Amino acid sequence: MRRVFADIHAALCTDENLSMYYKLGYTLIACEKFSGRTSEMTERGVSVVGKVVIDASSISDLREALGKVKYRESVIAVHPESVEVARWAAHDGRVDVILLTPSNIRIFDKRQFSTMKYYSKPLEIRIPHLLYSNSEVKSYFYRRLNMLVRFKLGFALGTSASSFYELLHPLVAVKALKTLYDIPEKIALLALTDIPRQIIFRKLNV
């Protein structure tokens, strides 16, 4: 049976990129920008939804931005730039995932993970940040990833690919998380299958 891989964040979807996604086993994509006839790919088994990333440093900025997005149709990620925004995003039902990056990683402490766990709000992490950051940033990611595993908090991995050259086979990403961050393969696999798949399915079934 073909495993259903899902990408919670593609930076750009072109016909060429989506063809490569299909070859690598991805069937569900949340895409920030589009170029080309993406509807044709749906017939080949790749379903695509829109992705909106909101950068916010204050609750008022976040609320204003959320009021302008079509949250029922697109996957909404919030990139919090303050603790207050991170806490608010955790309980706002319009937000699908909260994005952790090298620039805001210090915001994600035990209290934030506990809040996200309570509201069943998954984390989004982008594969390039995990693979290509410097050693200091990787050490921060190591601690956060292992903390979220202890909290049993779900997370979804995004390729952030804008070119098919940037795509990795999903199982390579799973192995990298195990090798670099001591994340069990079953948990890493969920970050590219069940967790992003459930989020994207909700948008497809509106």
Side-chain angles (χ1 to χ4, degrees):
M1 181 178 177
R2 184 181 173 89
R3 184 175 279 137
V4 179
F5 289 109
D7 185 358
I8 200 66
H9 181 259
L12 175 66
C13 284
T14 65
D15 298 339
E16 202 171 29
N17 293 359
L18 291 172
S19 293
M20 182 57 71
Y21 269 115
Y22 182 78
K23 291 174 183 177
L24 292 175
Y26 289 94
T27 57
L28 294 164
I29 314 292
C31 192
E32 197 167 357
K33 295 181 181 179
F34 296 88
S35 175
R37 301 178 299 279
T38 56
S39 61
E40 294 181 5
M41 290 306 303
T42 302
E43 297 175 6
R44 291 188 55 188
V46 177
S47 296
V48 184
V49 299
K51 174 71 177 286
V52 177
V53 180
I54 298 172
D55 296 287
S57 58
S58 69
I59 293 173
S60 60
D61 288 344
L62 176 59
R63 293 175 67 180
E64 182 180 356
L66 286 171
K68 297 176 180 178
V69 298
K70 297 180 179 179
Y71 64 90
R72 298 184 188 278
E73 302 172 13
S74 300
V75 173
I76 308 300
V78 170
H79 181 241
E81 297 172 0
S82 69
V83 171
E84 293 77 18
V85 170
R87 302 285 195 265
W88 183 278
H91 78 257
D92 195 309
R94 295 168 293 183
V95 178
D96 296 299
V97 288
I98 301 178
L99 175 60
L100 183 154
T101 68
S103 67
N104 71 357
I105 197 166
R106 295 177 185 273
I107 290 172
F108 292 86
D109 54 13
K110 291 181 179 179
R111 184 177 173 187
Q112 178 63 24
F113 284 155
S114 178
T115 304
M116 292 172 68
K117 172 73 173 177
Y118 182 82
Y119 289 104
S120 301
K121 191 75 66 179
L123 194 70
E124 175 185 336
I125 304 174
R126 296 182 176 173
I127 294 171
H129 291 153
L130 296 174
L131 298 185
Y132 309 125
S133 295
N134 61 43
S135 58
E136 182 182 6
V137 171
K138 283 180 178 176
S139 68
Y140 279 116
F141 271 115
Y142 184 95
R143 290 193 290 273
R144 295 312 189 276
L145 282 167
N146 282 273
M147 187 189 301
L148 71 87
V149 169
R150 292 196 301 273
F151 271 81
K152 297 183 180 180
L153 177 65
F155 69 102
L157 290 171
T159 66
S160 290
S162 56
S163 164
F164 67 89
Y165 293 112
E166 298 170 351
L167 285 171
L168 287 175
H169 192 285
L171 293 182
V172 172
V174 169
K175 294 290 185 182
L177 257 70
K178 180 183 178 182
T179 302
L180 295 174
Y181 297 100
D182 294 329
I183 302 301
E185 285 190 31
K186 289 183 178 179
I187 292 175
L189 192 60
L190 288 174
L192 283 165
T193 54
D194 289 18
I195 294 171
R197 180 176 64 199
Q198 291 170 12
I199 295 168
I200 295 171
F201 265 152
R202 289 200 299 267
K203 310 302 175 174
L204 289 171
N205 294 327
V206 170

